[in-house]
Amino acid sequence: MAKIRFLGHAAFYIEGKGLKGLIDPFLKDNPQSVAYSEDFKELNYIFVTHGHADHLGDAIPIAKSTGATIISCFEIANYCSTFGVSVHPMHIGGRTRFDFGRVKMTPAVHGSGISTDSGIVYGGNPGGFVIEVDGKKLYHAGDTGLIMDMKLLAEEDIDVALLPIGGNFVMDVEDAIKATDFIRPKVVVPMHYNTWPIIEADPNEFAEGVKSLSVKCKIMQPGDELVF
Ligand code: NI
Ligand code: MN
């Protein structure tokens, strides 16, 4: 039995046998956040989909305080390691086995630059993750537009898919419905919307759209948990 808790925007806590992790832990500056870095004392992994501040977020300070290993693309892992934290570099299309289960990095069409005081640092290619834990599969799409590669995910038998729906930087509701059709997860959860006016979207419109696909839609409020 695996469990996720929505922390607002695209941030999730994930727990299962051998895994206590965070995905895109944007907490401190997240207007939707219901959690603080200090809430997480026992963590072993932090997944970072790409270098933008609303995803890399508080990953480095949390990795420092908990000793958790940051899993990300090679470039972001390299960047994080300069702060003295533990990292595991991966890259798009690569799958590897961790003590809790396998993880695959999936493609995303987006950017990944890391904003620093001295300008933007190259953050490699943006991605998403298929995380296997307790015999279940979770897909976190990261920030992405609609891509044909998502059709390949149908073969993965995804239990829960977390998809951005806010438009402007990522898929809008219309494209996220098409993505759900490509991926065919058991449950789909909309994310990355209504954090700021520029990514305003109606999750009920998304839920209505996926109804005809026989995919269950779960709209999560920050703080909500989903067991799967
Ligand atoms: Ni982004
Ligand atoms: Mn984003």
Side-chain angles (χ1 to χ4, degrees):
M1 198 172 69
K3 184 175 85 176
I4 52 169
R5 181 157 78 245
F6 184 41
L7 304 175
H9 196 55
F12 289 83
Y13 171 73
I14 178 168
E15 191 180 310
K17 194 167 182 289
L19 174 63
K20 283 185 172 158
L22 288 172
I23 310 170
D24 286 355
F26 171 53
L27 306 179
K28 188 163 54 71
D29 298 325
N30 180 351
Q32 292 186 340
S33 182
V34 289
Y36 299 95
S37 302
E38 306 81 67
D39 298 344
F40 302 98
K41 306 229 183 298
E42 254 183 76
L43 281 182
N44 46 10
Y45 292 101
I46 301 169
F47 302 85
V48 177
T49 61
H50 64 293
H52 293 161
D54 56 323
H55 298 264
L56 178 59
D58 309 299
I60 294 167
I62 298 173
K64 264 190 185 160
S65 66
T66 59
T69 297
I70 294 178
I71 301 174
S72 193
C73 71
F74 178 80
E75 290 80 2
I76 291 172
N78 242 359
Y79 173 79
C80 293
S81 70
T82 65
F83 293 86
V85 301
S86 155
V87 298
H88 180 111
M90 292 185 68
H91 237 306
I92 312 297
R95 176 139 43 198
T96 193
R97 189 174 289 283
F98 290 87
D99 38 11
F100 60 85
R102 298 186 307 168
V103 174
K104 184 177 191 179
M105 275 203 86
T106 55
V109 173
H110 194 66
S112 188
I114 305 164
S115 296
T116 72
D117 291 342
S118 45
I120 289 189
V121 169
Y122 179 63
N125 289 317
F129 289 103
V130 174
I131 302 169
E132 296 178 33
V133 65
D134 272 348
K136 303 285 181 177
K137 273 190 191 178
L138 177 94
Y139 169 55
H140 187 298
D143 277 1
T144 184
L146 178 67
I147 48 172
M148 290 298 281
D149 301 66
M150 288 171 174
K151 285 200 170 183
L152 293 170
L153 291 169
E155 292 164 29
E156 294 276 347
D157 281 324
I158 302 290
D159 290 285
V160 177
L162 312 173
L163 302 183
I165 67 161
N168 193 73
F169 302 109
V170 294
M171 296 188 285
D172 58 10
V173 166
E174 197 181 322
D175 280 354
I177 293 167
K178 282 184 197 151
T180 308
D181 190 23
F182 286 176
I183 301 162
R184 293 277 161 182
K186 289 190 184 72
V187 179
V188 67
V189 176
M191 63 171 180
H192 208 278
Y193 64 95
N194 292 353
T195 319
W196 302 284
I198 199 166
I199 52 169
E200 208 169 88
D202 180 1
N204 295 304
E205 195 186 318
F206 175 69
E208 197 56 41
V210 300
K211 243 184 207 169
S212 63
L213 306 173
S214 310
V215 174
K216 204 175 145 210
C217 177
K218 169 86 177 151
I219 298 171
M220 296 180 78
Q221 303 303 329
D224 281 357
E225 291 192 343
L226 175 67
V227 175
F228 59 102

